Each structure stands twice: as structure tokens, then as C-alpha cells.
Amino acid sequence: MSESKQNYIDGEWSEASTGETFETTDPAAPSETVAEYQQSGEEDAEEAVAAAAAAQDEWAATPGPERGAILRETGSILESRKDELTELMTREEGKTHAEAGGEVQRAIDIFYYFAEKTRDLGGNVKAASGRRTNLYTVNQPVGVAALITPWNYPIAIPAWKVAPALAAGNTLALKPASVAAGTAVAIFEALDEAGLPDGVANIVTGPGSTVGDTLISHDDVDAVSFTGSSEVGEMVYSKATDDGKRVQTELGGKNPTVVSDTADVEEAAEIVAGGAFGVTGQACTAGSRAIVHTDVHDEFVERVVEEAEALEVGPGDEYDMGPQVTESELESSLEYIDIAGDEGATLETGGGRPEGERFEEGYYVEPTVFSDVEPHDRLAQEEVFGPVLAVLEVEDFEDGLHVANDVDYGLAASILTNDHTEAERFVDEIEAGVAKVNTATTGLELHVPFGGFKRSSSETWREQGDAGLDFYTIEKTVYDSF
């Protein structure tokens, strides 16, 4: 019997007003139900916002260190449940145990980090031009925040939205992705156990077309933070800004790794494979394009194919790469593989569903490498969100930089080189919010800004670290003359 989860609204666990529920299943064994959640509607979302609005003044007036103590305890509770939540994520999202465990730890670290940051929240004192005047700034919470999060990092992304929002004194309502909602619900279980006052944080599960839309458009919502596809995120941004809301979006990517002729090819292949096939390629920062200097191209292709073929695919509790999260995501990856073949790319390895007894169930696809990909092929331009790597051959650094920038996205980018001048130019000229040298496009520190350029974000507010707090605060300047 699968566990039944409820909404958390105004400090109470409750069923949806619709009376309906939905189930999540294991992508490694889709016939197995993992958990049951509330199929909420507009009324539930409205109740969550009303609760957050009612709790806002009191939570904003709570001293920062007192808010921090609740966040710290939340992190501690999550830490005590780490093994359980790791297993839940593997069963619900399909990540390997190592990937899921790392993500749960990241969520724990985020709560600990923002717990300490509450001690630094305040403002700045400036020198006034006149005598007997104190001139200073005060940071205040924006108000009620609506948070909408995706399935591919089902605890880390909710954590990096919820923790800074609460640290800064905001109240909130969260709608997690339906296909992997369990670890997001666990955050609110921990907040409740940690003593968070009623109404401060609320979670409502259900479809974006009702729950998400109600949160975004509600008059009492002051800020909206969304992570998901560019297509949906652009609609969210337009709708929310039309209502005068503060909006932060983190969207898709088509992330390049430029491989210089000076790079260690064996190391480069290992780095690229990790960025392309880690978390089954289901990361907005996945390194889906390898842009390789012609002098090392053939050796690189040989080496990266070896890396791909060395990966053991299967259920996340035993193997190197798990399944895709849903059948529709699997079908999308297979469709892009067909498109690449039709466009003339050369399939070097993978390209289909693996065969064998353990693959009879599950949304598995082989780690796939294509060479002879042209810069304007769809495989080189569109986000696949699966373990499919496009290798593009370029004549020199200038050509590589041009190809790297010649897409609609600009989230993360990397260069693998032993030429420091190339590295410096790449950092200066790459059109991406995250620039890396000699490491994969994936992997983020939690205390520095994260966000993209072009269609990878709204280019307004960044997430994480002090930048995350900036989004959830508004500055007031005080002239105090006496």
C-alpha cells in the first residue's frame, strides 16, 4: 500500500477540496506505485495564499536569528531522514542512490546556510551630508512568495527557494512537480516539526494549470519564483509581471563544453561524459554539446564513446545511470535521436532502449553520442533533457566560441584547455550565466549566484547565496534627523 500525502495549509495537513488524488510510480518499475498525493484545485491554492498573507506581518516581525533557528532545526530533521529521502527520490524520480543522496545533502546544507545568513540580514549605514542625521538602509521582506518547482531536482530546488524566502521574512506557497513531489513534501514535514508558525509556509500538490496558475495570478502574491522549461517560464513571467509582481525564473539550457586542442583528451572525455550522462541528462545544466577542436576531435570521440559504453544502466539503487523520469521524457529523447539521424549526424554509440531482462520495465535509454553534428541541427540547438551528447567539430578557438554562443540559451558553459589566454577570453565572451574552466557544466556551489542569459532565465534576479536573499528582500532608505 503506497503512502498517502496531504497538502500543508495554515499549519494543518489536509485533503484537497476536489476530493481527488493522483499517484506517482517508480520510473524503473512503472507498475509500482510510490505514493499518493492530493489532486488540488483553485480553492486549495487560494487557501494557501490566504494563510500565507495572514501570517506575513508576524513572521516578518520575528527576529532573524529566531527564524534561523527554525531553518537550522529543519536542516537537522532532514539530515536525520537522509537515507529515507534518498530512497524515496530514487524510487520516485529515478536518480541513482549516489545522485539522490548528494541532492538530499545539498538541501540539508542549504537550510543550514540560510539559517546562519539570518544573522546578517539588515542594511547599511552611510555617511549623511548634514549634521545630526543618521542615514541608513533597511532590508524588508517582499511579502508572499509563490514558488513553482520541477521534478528533476525535487528537493534541492524547493530548498533553495524556500530557505531564503523564509530567512528574509517572507511567507510562501509552493507547488512542486507532480511526478516527484515526495521530497518537497518532506521539507514541509520538517518545517512543521521544527516549529514553523502556522501559515508561514504552505504546500499544495496538483496541476500547474489550476494550482500553479492560481498562485501566479493571485492578488495577494508579491513575488513568483519559477524553475522549469523556457516555454512555460516565459508565460509565467509575462502573466506575473503584468500584475506587477517581482519575478525570478530559471529555465532551459543547451550547454556547451569547448574542448581545446591543448586539453588532456582523456580527462576531457571523462568530464564531458559526466556532464552529459549524469542524472540521466535530466539537468538544466547538462553538457549536451561538446565543441571539439579538429586536431583532437577523433581521439575525443573515441574516448567519450568508451566513457558512455562503460556506464551500467539500470535501477538507481544498483547502477551508474537510472531511467528517465516518465514515458513522455523517454519518448522525447528517442524522438531527438531519430531527428539527429535524419539530419545526417553519425551515431557513435547508444541510440535506443537497452535490451535485457532488467529493462523489460522502466523508461531506459542508452547513453548516446552523435558526431558530425552541424551547429544549426536541432540536436545542437534544442534542449533534449536526456543522455544524448552532440559532438561538433570546429577549426579553432574562435570558431568554437562562436558555435558555443550561437544558440537561444545561455545557462552554463565550460572550456577544457591548458591555455590560460583561451580560458580568460572564454570567461569574458561566453554568453552564459555560469562559466566554468576545466570542469563540467553541471555542479553548483550553493553560496554564489545562479541564473542564465537569453532564454535560460528572465535575466532579472539570480538564485542562491546573497543573490537569493536579494530577490526576497526590498530595500528602504532611512533619513533620521534629530
Side-chain angles (χ1 to χ4, degrees):
M1 182 69 180
S2 61
E3 188 174 2
S4 182
K5 298 288 187 177
Q6 297 179 318
N7 293 330
Y8 184 69
I9 301 174
D10 202 16
E12 298 289 339
W13 295 99
S14 59
E15 296 180 353
S17 61
T18 62
E20 299 176 0
T21 61
F22 66 90
E23 294 179 336
T24 57
T25 59
D26 185 343
S31 62
E32 296 181 10
T33 299
V34 178
E36 179 184 79
Y37 299 92
Q38 304 303 306
Q39 184 79 341
S40 307
E42 182 177 340
E43 181 179 335
D44 305 293
E46 289 178 345
E47 288 181 6
V49 175
Q56 172 56 44
D57 289 346
E58 182 64 27
W59 183 245
T62 302
E66 190 175 327
R67 298 195 296 263
I70 294 174
L71 297 182
R72 190 177 306 107
E73 180 63 16
T74 300
S76 178
I77 293 165
L78 292 174
E79 189 166 27
S80 71
R81 298 179 60 188
K82 182 177 177 181
D83 291 345
E84 168 201 343
L85 297 179
T86 297
E87 177 65 24
L88 174 59
M89 190 185 302
T90 294
R91 292 194 64 221
E92 202 165 58
E93 198 274 350
K95 279 186 168 73
T96 68
H97 266 214
E99 292 164 345
E103 184 180 340
V104 174
Q105 186 61 53
R106 183 181 183 85
I108 294 163
D109 293 343
I110 287 168
F111 275 97
Y112 286 152
Y113 172 81
F114 283 106
E116 297 308 310
K117 294 298 289 184
T118 59
R119 298 181 182 277
D120 297 331
L121 296 174
N124 296 299
V125 177
K126 300 294 185 180
S129 300
R131 298 178 185 274
R132 297 188 301 278
T133 299
N134 291 323
L135 181 62
Y136 60 95
T137 64
V138 176
N139 292 324
Q140 296 183 323
V142 173
V144 177
L147 314 178
I148 301 175
T149 57
W151 51 260
N152 62 322
Y153 285 93
I155 194 169
I157 294 178
W160 80 49
K161 294 182 191 294
V162 168
L166 295 179
N170 299 271
T171 56
L172 61 91
L174 169 71
K175 192 208 89 66
S178 294
V179 297
T183 51
V185 172
I187 289 175
F188 288 77
E189 293 170 344
L191 287 166
D192 183 49
E193 186 179 341
L196 188 74
D198 294 351
V200 171
N202 308 270
I203 185 169
V204 181
T205 56
S209 58
T210 52
V211 175
D213 190 67
T214 301
L215 295 181
I216 293 162
S217 59
H218 200 290
D219 289 342
D220 287 338
V221 167
D222 302 292
V224 175
S225 181
F226 172 90
T227 299
S229 71
S230 295
E231 291 76 15
V232 176
E234 287 158 3
M235 290 188 290
V236 168
Y237 181 82
S238 177
K239 181 174 292 187
T241 53
D242 283 348
D243 292 338
K245 294 176 173 60
R246 181 178 291 206
V247 185
Q248 170 191 72
T249 65
E250 191 274 293
L251 309 174
K254 192 63 185 174
N255 310 294
T257 303
V258 175
V259 181
S260 166
D261 59 333
T262 66
D264 180 313
V265 176
E266 184 174 354
E267 182 181 23
E270 183 178 347
I271 290 170
V272 169
F277 307 130
V279 296
T280 319
Q282 298 175 134
C284 54
T285 56
S288 59
R289 292 184 296 154
I291 301 168
V292 185
H293 193 288
T294 188
D295 288 353
V296 295
H297 173 270
D298 291 351
E299 183 184 356
F300 174 83
V301 170
E302 181 180 345
R303 294 283 190 175
V304 83
V305 166
E306 290 174 358
E307 293 287 337
E309 292 178 346
L311 291 172
E312 291 192 70
V313 179
D317 55 356
E318 295 184 54
Y319 294 93
D320 301 324
M321 191 182 89
Q324 296 213 247
V325 70
T326 61
E327 186 174 15
S328 63
E329 291 294 331
L330 170 63
E331 289 174 349
S332 177
S333 294
L334 294 174
E335 181 180 357
Y336 272 106
I337 289 169
D338 289 341
I339 289 168
D342 292 343
E343 289 181 329
T346 300
L347 177 64
E348 297 287 350
T349 191
R353 302 189 65 167
E355 298 179 354
E357 185 177 344
R358 71 172 179 266
F359 308 115
E360 291 178 0
E361 269 199 287
Y363 307 128
Y364 296 105
V365 63
E366 298 168 317
T368 298
V369 177
F370 279 100
S371 64
D372 299 318
V373 179
E374 296 298 324
H376 290 102
D377 287 352
R378 289 181 62 185
L379 193 66
Q381 291 288 322
E382 300 176 13
E383 187 175 40
V384 177
F385 229 62
V388 182
L389 175 67
V391 181
L392 296 86
E393 185 174 1
V394 293
E395 292 298 320
D396 52 31
F397 172 78
E398 298 287 347
D399 189 20
L401 186 62
H402 171 75
V403 171
N405 284 332
D406 192 22
V407 292
D408 291 335
Y409 300 98
L411 187 55
S414 175
I415 185 169
L416 308 180
T417 182
N418 283 317
D419 185 324
H420 201 263
T421 300
E422 284 185 346
E424 289 182 331
R425 279 200 57 196
F426 180 84
V427 169
D428 286 343
E429 298 177 37
I430 193 67
E431 296 168 1
V434 176
K436 294 190 168 188
V437 178
N438 292 330
T439 187
T441 55
T442 51
L444 302 169
E445 296 277 0
L446 61 85
H447 59 292
V448 291
F450 173 58
F453 293 175
K454 300 187 281 191
R455 290 194 72 200
S456 290
S457 86
S458 54
E459 297 188 335
T460 48
W461 305 88
R462 294 312 199 206
E463 296 194 272
Q464 306 199 104
D466 289 335
L469 289 168
D470 288 344
F471 174 69
Y472 293 107
T473 56
I474 190 163
E475 197 166 44
K476 178 186 289 184
T477 304
V478 180
Y479 296 76
D480 181 7
S481 299
F482 56 91

